[in-house]
Short mmCIF file of all heavy atoms in Angstrom, two decimals:
data_model
loop_
_atom_site.label_atom_id
_atom_site.label_comp_id
_atom_site.label_asym_id
_atom_site.label_seq_id
_atom_site.Cartn_x
_atom_site.Cartn_y
_atom_site.Cartn_z
N LYS A 371 25.15 -26.35 55.00
CA LYS A 371 25.52 -26.37 56.42
C LYS A 371 26.56 -25.28 56.69
O LYS A 371 27.42 -25.01 55.85
CB LYS A 371 26.08 -27.74 56.83
CG LYS A 371 25.04 -28.85 56.81
CD LYS A 371 25.63 -30.16 57.31
CE LYS A 371 24.57 -31.26 57.35
NZ LYS A 371 25.13 -32.53 57.85
N THR A 372 26.48 -24.69 57.88
CA THR A 372 27.41 -23.63 58.26
C THR A 372 28.80 -24.22 58.53
O THR A 372 28.92 -25.25 59.20
CB THR A 372 26.91 -22.90 59.51
OG1 THR A 372 25.59 -22.39 59.26
CG2 THR A 372 27.84 -21.76 59.88
N GLU A 373 29.81 -23.58 57.99
CA GLU A 373 31.19 -24.04 58.22
C GLU A 373 31.53 -23.91 59.70
O GLU A 373 31.17 -22.92 60.36
CB GLU A 373 32.15 -23.24 57.35
CG GLU A 373 33.61 -23.57 57.56
CD GLU A 373 33.97 -25.01 57.20
OE1 GLU A 373 33.07 -25.81 56.85
OE2 GLU A 373 35.15 -25.35 57.28
N GLN A 374 32.27 -24.92 60.24
CA GLN A 374 32.54 -24.97 61.66
C GLN A 374 34.02 -24.75 62.03
O GLN A 374 34.35 -24.66 63.20
CB GLN A 374 32.10 -26.33 62.21
CG GLN A 374 30.62 -26.61 62.05
CD GLN A 374 29.74 -25.66 62.85
OE1 GLN A 374 30.10 -25.27 63.97
NE2 GLN A 374 28.59 -25.29 62.29
N ASN A 375 34.91 -24.69 61.03
CA ASN A 375 36.33 -24.51 61.33
C ASN A 375 36.98 -23.72 60.20
O ASN A 375 36.38 -23.46 59.16
CB ASN A 375 37.02 -25.86 61.54
CG ASN A 375 36.80 -26.79 60.35
OD1 ASN A 375 37.31 -26.56 59.26
ND2 ASN A 375 36.01 -27.85 60.56
N ARG A 376 38.22 -23.35 60.40
CA ARG A 376 38.93 -22.54 59.43
C ARG A 376 39.52 -23.36 58.29
O ARG A 376 39.96 -22.81 57.28
CB ARG A 376 40.05 -21.76 60.13
CG ARG A 376 39.54 -20.71 61.10
CD ARG A 376 40.69 -19.90 61.67
NE ARG A 376 40.22 -18.85 62.57
CZ ARG A 376 41.02 -17.98 63.20
NH1 ARG A 376 42.34 -18.06 63.01
NH2 ARG A 376 40.52 -17.07 63.99
N GLY A 377 39.57 -24.65 58.46
CA GLY A 377 40.14 -25.50 57.43
C GLY A 377 39.23 -25.60 56.21
O GLY A 377 38.00 -25.56 56.33
N LEU A 378 39.81 -25.73 55.03
CA LEU A 378 39.06 -25.89 53.79
C LEU A 378 39.25 -27.30 53.25
O LEU A 378 40.34 -27.88 53.38
CB LEU A 378 39.52 -24.87 52.74
CG LEU A 378 39.21 -23.40 53.03
CD1 LEU A 378 39.82 -22.51 51.95
CD2 LEU A 378 37.70 -23.16 53.13
N MET A 379 38.21 -27.84 52.65
CA MET A 379 38.30 -29.14 52.00
C MET A 379 38.99 -28.98 50.65
O MET A 379 38.56 -28.15 49.83
CB MET A 379 36.90 -29.74 51.82
CG MET A 379 36.89 -31.06 51.08
SD MET A 379 35.27 -31.88 51.10
CE MET A 379 34.28 -30.71 50.18
N LYS A 380 40.04 -29.76 50.41
CA LYS A 380 40.76 -29.74 49.15
C LYS A 380 40.39 -30.97 48.33
O LYS A 380 40.46 -32.09 48.85
CB LYS A 380 42.27 -29.71 49.37
CG LYS A 380 42.85 -28.35 49.75
CD LYS A 380 42.61 -27.96 51.19
CE LYS A 380 43.43 -28.77 52.16
NZ LYS A 380 43.25 -28.32 53.58
N VAL A 381 40.01 -30.75 47.06
CA VAL A 381 39.55 -31.85 46.21
C VAL A 381 40.18 -31.72 44.83
O VAL A 381 40.34 -30.61 44.30
CB VAL A 381 38.01 -31.86 46.07
CG1 VAL A 381 37.54 -33.07 45.28
CG2 VAL A 381 37.35 -31.84 47.43
N ALA A 382 40.52 -32.86 44.22
CA ALA A 382 41.05 -32.88 42.85
C ALA A 382 40.48 -34.08 42.12
O ALA A 382 40.27 -35.15 42.72
CB ALA A 382 42.57 -32.94 42.86
N LEU A 383 40.24 -33.91 40.82
CA LEU A 383 39.70 -34.98 39.98
C LEU A 383 40.35 -34.94 38.61
O LEU A 383 40.61 -33.86 38.06
CB LEU A 383 38.18 -34.86 39.84
CG LEU A 383 37.52 -35.82 38.85
CD1 LEU A 383 36.32 -36.53 39.47
CD2 LEU A 383 37.06 -35.08 37.60
N ALA A 384 40.63 -36.13 38.05
CA ALA A 384 41.14 -36.25 36.69
C ALA A 384 40.44 -37.43 36.02
O ALA A 384 40.27 -38.49 36.63
CB ALA A 384 42.65 -36.46 36.68
N THR A 385 40.00 -37.24 34.79
CA THR A 385 39.36 -38.31 34.03
C THR A 385 39.69 -38.13 32.56
O THR A 385 39.77 -36.99 32.08
CB THR A 385 37.83 -38.32 34.27
OG1 THR A 385 37.26 -39.46 33.64
CG2 THR A 385 37.17 -37.06 33.75
N TRP A 386 39.88 -39.25 31.84
CA TRP A 386 40.32 -39.14 30.45
C TRP A 386 39.69 -40.27 29.62
O TRP A 386 39.88 -41.45 29.94
CB TRP A 386 41.84 -39.23 30.37
CG TRP A 386 42.37 -38.68 29.08
CD1 TRP A 386 42.50 -39.36 27.90
CD2 TRP A 386 42.82 -37.35 28.83
NE1 TRP A 386 43.01 -38.54 26.93
CE2 TRP A 386 43.22 -37.29 27.48
CE3 TRP A 386 42.92 -36.20 29.61
CZ2 TRP A 386 43.72 -36.13 26.90
CZ3 TRP A 386 43.42 -35.04 29.04
CH2 TRP A 386 43.81 -35.02 27.70
N PRO A 387 38.96 -39.92 28.56
CA PRO A 387 38.38 -40.94 27.68
C PRO A 387 39.34 -41.30 26.55
O PRO A 387 40.10 -40.46 26.06
CB PRO A 387 37.14 -40.23 27.13
CG PRO A 387 37.51 -38.78 27.12
CD PRO A 387 38.48 -38.56 28.24
N PHE A 388 39.29 -42.56 26.12
CA PHE A 388 40.11 -43.06 25.01
C PHE A 388 39.19 -43.74 24.00
O PHE A 388 38.31 -44.52 24.38
CB PHE A 388 41.15 -44.07 25.50
CG PHE A 388 42.12 -43.52 26.51
CD1 PHE A 388 41.81 -43.55 27.87
CD2 PHE A 388 43.32 -42.99 26.12
CE1 PHE A 388 42.70 -43.07 28.81
CE2 PHE A 388 44.22 -42.50 27.05
CZ PHE A 388 43.92 -42.53 28.40
N GLU A 389 39.44 -43.47 22.73
CA GLU A 389 38.70 -44.14 21.66
C GLU A 389 39.49 -45.36 21.21
O GLU A 389 40.66 -45.26 20.83
CB GLU A 389 38.47 -43.19 20.48
CG GLU A 389 37.49 -42.07 20.79
CD GLU A 389 37.25 -41.16 19.60
OE1 GLU A 389 38.25 -40.68 19.02
OE2 GLU A 389 36.08 -40.94 19.25
N ILE A 390 38.84 -46.51 21.25
CA ILE A 390 39.43 -47.76 20.79
C ILE A 390 38.48 -48.36 19.76
O ILE A 390 37.50 -49.04 20.11
CB ILE A 390 39.66 -48.75 21.95
CG1 ILE A 390 40.52 -48.09 23.03
CG2 ILE A 390 40.32 -50.03 21.44
CD1 ILE A 390 40.73 -48.96 24.26
#
Side-chain angles (χ1 to χ4, degrees):
K371 292 184 178 180
T372 304
E373 177 62 356
Q374 299 296 323
N375 54 69
R376 293 185 178 181
L378 293 176
M379 176 171 65
K380 282 77 71 176
V381 184
L383 173 130
T385 186
W386 199 274
F388 300 88
E389 291 181 308
I390 304 176

